[in-house]
Structure formats: structure tokens, C-alpha cells
Amino acid sequence: MITSDPAPPRRAPGQLFFRFAIVLILAAMLLVPIWIAAFPPLLDYPNHLARSFVLTHLNDPAFPFSNFFRADWGAYPYLGMDASLAILGRIFPIETAGRIFLSLCALALPAGAWFFLRQVNPGEEATSAWALLIAFNVFFLEGFLNFDLSIAVGLFALGLWLRWLAKPKLAGWIAALAVFTALYFTHLLGFGIAGLIVIEYLALSRRPLRDWIWSGAMALPGVAFYLHSSRVGLSVNKIVFHGFGDKLDSFQMILHGYSPRLDWISLAALGAWFLAAWWRNPAFHWRWRWIEIAASLFILFWGIPWMWGEGSDLDIRVLPFLIIAILATVRVGPRAKWLAVVPLLLFAARTVSVTQHFAAAQTDLAGLARSFDAVPKGALVLPIVEGDQDPIERPFTHFWAYGVIRRGWFSPYLMDAPGETPMRIIHDSYTPDGFWDHEYDEPPDWKQVRSDYDYVWAYDVSKYSAPLAGIGEKIYSYGPLEVYRLRKSPDAGTTARPSM
């Protein structure tokens, strides 16, 4: 059994209504930043949204996408957003569908943490209020939404597994199997981290062999799909480990938002919360099994490389699971309800910070969006973008992808990763590599650019203004953005355009 604690008593209708009202208020606070923003300022989000739009309209005669892309659906990991938007995008306009998916991500993580912690410490769900502080975590703010969703799905899967372990029934096992399989399709790393937690818990609990067999069977569909369809990461030629200083900086991302001061206050408050929960509290006791699991996740963070193959930020992906495991290390008793005011106040402050940041970004993003009207539908557009800010401060990097949605552009940097994403680019065009590094060590081949594209969407690359003016005319500018219509040389190749 997980715990010998008695089941919590039934609550009066008035208490249930009060709790329901609190949940509605918290949910509304999570949704406000997402729905007030015409353009959620999240780094990778527009690129993922545009890919989903292309897949939805691949055979739509109103768009030329079939000339440039093809679908490649398979039993790959990382399909959470694409699969969700494949459904939502047929019901709602794609930008509305995107906000619905963002809403799902924001709501699911605190809900998953609550469900998981409820299995670990029944009756002490108030502790899960701290999970509200990571609803807008660094992965959400960078638009790494498949992994962000996998944190929530992973917590639901672990919670169902713990429930089955406490009361082994076939229905409970099937439910856990289904969610672990869904976790694989959401993100491979979320699937792997949840699996490591399962293995360590079984080992620390000295569970019988039958529990190992039935628990391992929950992972079989995901493992089979991976070996059959993806195998991403099995062969790599690039592994990068960060040094101690970089690791220490990365660890600060455990509560990373738009206000560094608020981040530090939140971390200090978490420590103070533990002290207040322990001080002269006879109901307090440590859950040593989860202390060992939290310690192993902490050690894992220091041992994981920053990059494996093409995947980066691998080490910090342990941190959301670590903070939830830390919350599972204590049983506080009745005092937990009163102490919940601490994370709730911090959540309110952090939500105000996120909302203000989203709102403040809209003026500049609207200025960038007006560039889409200057470019005709179905144009071939090359983005050239630089920027070395914190990734959560770079909503411009993939903002050009809204041109794919709103004007049916072809751009060569929609994310095409075989074995991961369900879309392939079939149009062969010149693509300078500097885009993915956000820095161009060498200038693009301007002859190739003029030959293969109609327009250039150039952001914060004033060093290229002169050569771009040599092959085209500037037709729009806003702040660091310049858009050029390219002049075709007599011998430049031509690309047939279907009518829009």
C-alpha cells in the first residue's frame, strides 16, 4: 500500500461549493493571459501552429501547400500538439484552436499535480497549490508545448499507476496503460522520466515481482511504437555537457518566469513554507521514499547532457518533475490548508507578471503582423532572423510563421524532423543554416536567395540591409523588421504558383 493514512472525511455541500468556486477562479486566472493576447508571445508556438495549419489544409485548393509539403503521420513521439490541433483545427479557426491547446497545457499541469499528490498524500491536496507556479513554466513560455503537456500527462499517469498499485484492479491497470501510452505520444522525455520514477519507486518499496511485470507492461506499447516508428536519438554525433556554472544557471529555471526577482522570492518562499510546515507541527512527517526519488532526480539533472543530437535543454526537463517530487516528500496535516495562502499569493503575483508581459508584447507583434499584408498570398518567403535574448524574450524568432497561416506563404523553416513531426518539406530551396542558431557566421548566398524566393522577412539583421537592397526593394519596416521584395534576374529560376 502507498500509505496507511485513513481516507479523508466526506465534505459538506458548502465546502464543496467553496472549493469549486476557488478552482474556477484559479482556472480563470490561468486563462486570462492566453485569451487577452492576439499573439501569445511564445518562442516556438507560431511554428508549431503553422505546421498544424499546413497539415489541416494540405489538400485545400485555396492554398498551395501540396506543392511544398506532404503529410507523414506515424506512431512518433511528440505528436501531442499536432494530433490535438488536427481535431481542433477542423472545428475552430487555427489561432483559436491554438489558444484552446495553450489553455489545456496551462490547466492540465496543476490538475495533474493535484491528482498525483492526492495519491501520494490523500487529504493534503492543498500542497499542490505550489504547482500553480509552474503552470507558466519555461517550456510553456518557450513554446515547447509537447513537453509542457507531457509533464501533466506524466503526473496523471503516475497518479493512476500509484492508485492501481494501492488497489490492483484490471480497470485501473487499463486506465494507467492508456495514459502511459498517451504520454509516449506527447513527448519521449516525459515518457522516459515517468518510467524512471516508476522503476525507482518499485525498487525502494521492494515490491513483489508481479508488480514489476504489470508495471513494465504499461510501457510496452510506447516502447514498441518507438522501436518501430521513430528511434530518434539512438544514433547521435553531437553530445554537449554544460559546466558547473552553466548547470547552476540552468537549475534556476526550476521557477523561471518574466521577473527574476519574483523567481527568487518564489524559491525563498518555498523554503520558508517547508520550515513553517515543520516547525512545532506534530502532524508533520517526511516521506523518505519520495525524498530518495527527489534526490535521484536532482542527481539526474546534474548528469544529463544539455544537448543530445539535435535535442537541447535536456537537463532542465527534469526540473518540473523534481519540484513535484519535492512536494511529495512531506505530509503536513491540517496546517497545509493555511499555508496554501503562500503559493496562492505568489501565483497571483506571477500571473499578473505574465499577463502584463503578454499585453505589453502585443504592440510590437501587431507591428510585425502588418508585414503580412505587404506580401501577396502564396509567396515564397525566406526569414532571416537574429537575436540573443533569453529564449522567453524572443517571440519574434518564429513570428513569420503567421504568414503561412494568414497568407499561405511557403517558408523553409517550418519544423520538419523525421520520426518526430508529421510533416515533410518536399520543396527544394536554399536555406541558410544561421536561422537555427539565431546567428549568421557567414552571409547568405544572395544569388541563391534571389533565385529561390520572392520575399525576405529580415528581423534584426541590419548588417544585411545593403545586400538586400541590392537584390530587392524594401516594402515594409517596423522597428528591427525589414521586408524586401526581390528583383528577379533574367536567368533566375521561376516557380509555378497555383491560383489562391
Side-chain angles (χ1 to χ4, degrees):
M1 301 293 288
I2 297 172
T3 177
S4 59
D5 300 303
R10 291 182 178 272
R11 298 182 176 89
Q15 289 179 308
L16 293 175
F17 177 80
F18 176 75
R19 286 172 175 264
F20 182 69
I22 292 296
V23 169
L24 284 181
I25 292 171
L26 295 176
M29 292 172 67
L30 286 168
L31 297 180
V32 164
I34 295 168
W35 289 91
I36 66 164
F39 302 103
L42 311 175
L43 175 63
D44 282 0
Y45 171 69
N47 199 311
H48 293 304
L49 196 66
R51 184 181 65 244
S52 297
F53 182 78
V54 167
L55 288 168
T56 302
H57 295 274
L58 196 58
N59 298 312
D60 187 340
F63 297 94
F65 295 143
S66 61
N67 293 321
F68 306 119
F69 309 99
R70 67 173 176 86
D72 181 27
W73 292 95
Y76 311 138
Y78 318 109
L79 292 183
M81 186 172 185
D82 290 298
S84 298
L85 291 180
I87 299 171
L88 293 171
R90 285 172 168 77
I91 303 172
F92 305 98
I94 191 64
E95 293 182 37
T96 301
R99 287 195 191 88
I100 294 173
F101 184 79
L102 291 175
S103 301
L104 171 65
C105 291
L107 295 172
L109 200 159
W114 171 85
F115 181 74
F116 168 75
L117 292 171
R118 192 168 187 264
Q119 313 312 311
V120 175
N121 283 322
E124 296 211 13
E125 296 86 349
T127 305
S128 65
W130 282 101
L132 291 165
L133 275 65
I134 60 171
F136 297 124
N137 58 71
V138 64
F139 304 105
F140 183 93
L141 299 179
E142 290 186 8
F144 295 0
L145 299 172
N146 281 320
F147 183 76
D148 181 69
L149 184 60
S150 80
I151 303 168
V153 178
L155 293 172
F156 275 115
L158 289 169
L160 286 169
W161 172 73
L162 288 171
R163 175 179 284 186
W164 167 80
L165 210 58
K167 296 181 179 180
K169 295 182 179 179
L170 181 60
W173 184 86
I174 293 173
L177 170 70
V179 179
F180 270 106
T181 304
L183 177 58
Y184 162 80
F185 285 111
T186 308
H187 202 283
L188 188 61
L189 287 177
F191 181 73
I193 294 170
L196 289 175
I197 293 173
V198 167
I199 292 170
E200 185 164 8
Y201 188 94
L202 289 171
L204 293 171
S205 305
R206 299 181 180 179
R207 305 294 298 196
L209 179 60
R210 66 175 181 273
D211 289 345
W212 284 85
I213 294 172
W214 283 97
S215 298
M218 293 179 186
L220 286 180
V223 173
F225 287 136
Y226 174 70
L227 294 176
H228 177 264
S229 302
S230 184
R231 303 195 182 189
V232 174
L234 285 180
S235 59
V236 298
N237 54 17
K238 187 176 184 181
I239 302 175
V240 179
F241 284 90
H242 271 167
F244 178 79
D246 289 331
K247 280 283 189 180
L248 200 58
D249 289 340
S250 295
F251 188 74
Q252 297 172 12
M253 294 184 185
I254 196 168
L255 286 176
H256 184 42
Y258 292 120
S259 170
R261 178 179 297 180
L262 194 52
D263 295 342
W264 283 112
I265 291 172
S266 300
L267 285 171
L270 180 59
W273 180 90
F274 270 89
L275 180 61
W278 165 79
W279 182 255
R280 296 183 177 179
N281 180 8
F284 179 94
H285 66 265
W286 295 103
R287 309 301 300 269
W288 291 103
R289 189 176 302 154
W290 287 101
I291 289 176
E292 292 174 290
I293 291 174
S296 69
L297 291 174
F298 179 73
I299 294 170
L300 185 63
F301 162 77
W302 290 94
I304 290 179
W306 171 74
M307 172 177 282
W308 181 284
E310 298 299 321
S312 62
D313 293 329
L314 300 184
D315 49 3
I316 65 173
R317 302 192 190 232
V318 176
L319 298 179
F321 290 93
L322 171 60
I323 197 168
I324 301 301
I326 289 172
L327 296 175
T329 61
V330 294
R331 185 167 181 83
V332 180
R335 190 180 295 184
K337 296 178 182 178
W338 298 104
L339 289 176
V341 69
V342 177
L344 290 177
L345 289 174
L346 288 169
F347 166 66
R350 293 174 73 91
T351 302
V352 168
S353 173
V354 171
T355 303
Q356 290 176 337
H357 189 94
F358 275 38
Q362 297 310 299
T363 299
D364 284 342
L365 294 180
L368 302 186
R370 287 192 290 273
S371 67
F372 307 144
D373 294 330
V375 178
K377 294 181 178 180
L380 278 64
V381 181
L382 176 68
I384 300 178
V385 180
E386 282 195 350
D388 60 357
Q389 298 94 322
D390 185 324
I392 68 173
E393 301 284 356
R394 293 204 301 258
F396 52 80
T397 301
H398 297 281
F399 194 78
W400 50 267
Y402 280 104
V404 177
I405 295 169
R406 297 189 170 190
R407 306 291 284 176
W409 293 355
F410 166 79
S411 290
Y413 295 119
L414 289 185
M415 292 178 183
D416 170 3
E420 298 181 37
T421 60
M423 186 206 72
R424 305 278 78 81
I425 298 174
I426 60 174
H427 179 70
D428 185 18
S429 61
Y430 170 67
T431 52
D433 292 333
F435 175 84
W436 297 111
D437 297 326
H438 316 303
E439 182 179 4
Y440 291 79
D441 296 328
E442 298 180 358
D445 183 329
W446 300 114
K447 183 178 179 180
Q448 282 281 88
V449 169
R450 183 168 63 174
S451 172
D452 290 359
Y453 296 95
D454 305 318
Y455 293 81
V456 170
W457 198 89
Y459 186 93
D460 202 21
V461 283
S462 57
K463 61 185 179 183
Y464 295 146
S465 296
L468 282 168
I471 61 172
E473 294 84 30
K474 186 194 302 184
I475 60 170
Y476 183 82
S477 64
Y478 179 87
L481 173 67
E482 298 178 334
V483 180
Y484 289 84
R485 180 175 57 241
L486 302 181
R487 296 186 297 269
K488 293 298 182 180
S489 60
D491 58 344
T494 58
T495 302
R497 313 272 200 283
S499 59
M500 295 293 291

